[in-house]
Amino acid sequence: MSKNDGKATQGKRQSAHLPRKRFYRARAHSNPLSDSHFPIPISPADVDYSSHYPHFLHSSKNDPDEDDLLPKIRFADIGCGFGGLLVKLSPLFPDTLMIGMELRDKVSEYVKERILALRASNPGQYENISVVRTNSMKYLPNYFCKGQLSKIFFLFPDPHFKEKNHRRRVISLQLLDEYAYVLEVGGIIYTITDVEELGDWMKFCLNSHPLFSAILEEEIEADPVVKLLASATEEGQKVARNGGQTFYAVFRRIAPEDPII
């Protein structure tokens, strides 16, 4: 058998272990205001890192100061879908813990199985990504401490076209207060959509919030993460296939101005 044949066989063997999306199909979106039943940590201290990142936890146990050195989650993909962004980001930031937060149970289960399959097929890789089924619009502070995150992503969120449903949108002035809380000063929030009205809405909300500032276009173009926003996810790939437009907004978390005494 030639080397090329061996590589092809190995590739087929690895891909065979990946879950098939057709067995995990779900509705495109869920109502974030409805009640769902899943476990929720009481506080960030109660998040079970051992189930999400066993490789990192095992490494830290060999150090007497493990509690101080145990890495924290730094990237969060809100509404992560089928996990495409996480998979692309993982090798770019191999020492950074990141998590996808997804409300739909079948989709979050698919991402979990996908990550486990990738870890099994690629020993030592993809150990820094995980997924949790939760409602980030309700429980984000239950997972992250103040200033814990350095990047937070909102890729192709539900546009909720009807005005009466705008309160369901994942970007709003009220929710930006929570995102500002969990983002460190200097942290970045990334949004992208193929709906121009929603893109304008998200940009307006971010521009109107005192703790976020738009990043200059030159810096955006130099950011390797921005290049993944439109291509890493299933939704982004669908938009590209159909020749659609995308509208993104990238903002930095800034410190509040000194209060007037």
Side-chain angles (χ1 to χ4, degrees), residues 38-154:
F38 40 74
I40 304 161
I42 297 175
S43 72
D46 297 302
V47 176
D48 183 12
Y49 274 68
S50 64
S51 63
H52 290 287
Y53 312 101
H55 174 80
F56 282 83
L57 189 69
H58 176 76
S59 300
S60 67
K61 283 186 176 180
N62 296 324
D63 193 287
D65 299 321
E66 59 175 275
D67 291 336
D68 296 328
L69 297 179
L70 182 65
K72 298 294 185 183
I73 297 170
R74 298 286 283 158
F75 295 0
D77 184 8
I78 308 301
C80 68
F82 291 98
L85 180 65
L86 293 171
V87 172
K88 293 293 185 181
L89 287 175
S90 179
L92 291 179
F93 303 90
D95 298 320
T96 300
L97 299 189
M98 36 190 116
I99 196 161
M101 310 185 88
E102 175 59 51
L103 181 56
R104 295 167 293 172
D105 56 347
K106 288 185 179 180
V107 178
S108 60
E109 185 63 26
Y110 170 86
V111 179
K112 178 182 176 181
E113 295 298 327
R114 181 181 186 181
I115 292 172
L116 291 175
L118 287 170
R119 289 176 179 177
S121 302
N122 305 273
Q125 299 182 50
Y126 303 103
E127 299 288 349
N128 60 328
I129 58 176
S130 189
V131 66
V132 62
R133 186 191 177 209
T134 192
N135 188 337
S136 59
M137 290 176 64
K138 292 183 177 182
Y139 306 117
L140 204 66
N142 294 66
Y143 288 88
F144 308 118
C145 303
K146 181 179 180 180
Q148 178 176 332
L149 299 178
S150 62
K151 295 184 187 296
I152 186 168
F153 301 90
F154 301 88

Side-chain angles (χ1 to χ4, degrees), residues 140-187:
L140 204 66
N142 294 66
Y143 288 88
F144 308 118
C145 303
K146 181 179 180 180
Q148 178 176 332
L149 299 178
S150 62
K151 295 184 187 296
I152 186 168
F153 301 90
F154 301 88
L155 276 54
F156 301 97
D158 191 335
H160 293 293
F161 290 106
K162 295 181 180 179
E163 186 174 352
K164 68 177 183 178
N165 291 332
H166 284 183
R167 62 197 179 101
R168 298 180 182 180
R169 288 182 169 179
V170 73
I171 296 291
S172 68
L173 285 172
Q174 293 77 17
L175 287 171
L176 283 175
D177 289 341
E178 290 196 5
Y179 305 150
Y181 175 81
V182 298
L183 268 177
E184 66 182 8
V185 173

